[in-house]
Amino acid sequence: MRGSSPRQTLTAAERRHQALALQIAGADLRHIAATIGYANASAAKAAIDRAIEESIAREHAEIDDLRRLEVMRLDRLQAAFWGKAVKDKDKKAADIVLKCINARERLQGLAAPVQVKHSGELTTEYRIVGVDPDELV
């Protein structure tokens, strides 16, 4: 559209995306507001913050989608070897099934965290590895 302001030609999401791109490129908030058509620097800053939040949310959704896809692949692989593992007592098939179960547990966060016990003692011993201390003098 000829003669249209940036506010009229771009959707709100596109404007937020452009504002973020300008900030990444080093533009200051006043310049971003004037270029994109925000009322002031504060409005540009709020738009940029929202664009960042939306980007993070999209990344999380993509990760969740990939996780679901990998779980479906593991389910399919496990199903293919389940009969051999259970009925035929095939050790290789059983190993594959167990690996599928373990991988699924990790992907879905089902595995219990490993407990680490610490004695509470601190040592002040230092070791220099790969350096001859005599060469440092």
Side-chain angles (χ1 to χ4, degrees):
M1 283 200 265
R2 182 174 269 191
S4 300
S5 72
R7 181 182 291 277
Q8 293 169 327
T9 58
L10 298 175
T11 67
E14 289 170 332
R15 291 173 67 223
R16 288 191 298 271
H17 179 73
Q18 280 192 350
L20 178 59
L22 284 171
Q23 186 179 50
I24 290 169
D28 66 45
L29 292 173
R30 284 190 303 258
H31 174 75
I32 294 169
T35 303
I36 305 294
Y38 289 111
N40 53 41
S42 295
K45 174 73 168 108
I48 291 166
D49 290 345
R50 183 160 177 208
I52 292 169
E53 290 171 7
E54 290 169 346
S55 177
I56 292 169
R58 274 192 308 277
E59 287 177 16
H60 285 256
E62 289 171 5
I63 290 169
D64 288 342
D65 289 344
L66 288 172
R67 187 175 289 118
R68 277 191 290 278
L69 176 63
E70 290 303 319
V71 167
M72 289 188 303
R73 288 174 175 161
L74 289 167
D75 289 344
R76 187 168 181 183
L77 184 61
Q78 180 177 325
F81 286 92
W82 184 263
K84 284 185 178 185
V86 175
K87 293 177 188 168
D88 301 341
K89 304 206 184 325
D90 182 318
K91 290 185 183 209
K92 286 185 180 181
D95 187 49
I96 292 170
V97 167
L98 289 173
K99 286 180 180 179
C100 289
I101 292 169
N102 288 333
R104 191 180 306 101
E105 284 178 344
R106 284 192 311 275
L107 280 172
Q108 295 179 324
L110 300 174
V114 176
Q115 291 186 354
V116 178
K117 293 187 179 184
H118 189 277
S119 67
E121 295 179 29
L122 299 175
T123 64
T124 56
E125 177 182 322
Y126 297 99
R127 288 181 35 189
I128 299 174
V129 179
V131 176
D132 183 359
D134 294 331
E135 291 179 9
L136 296 175
V137 180

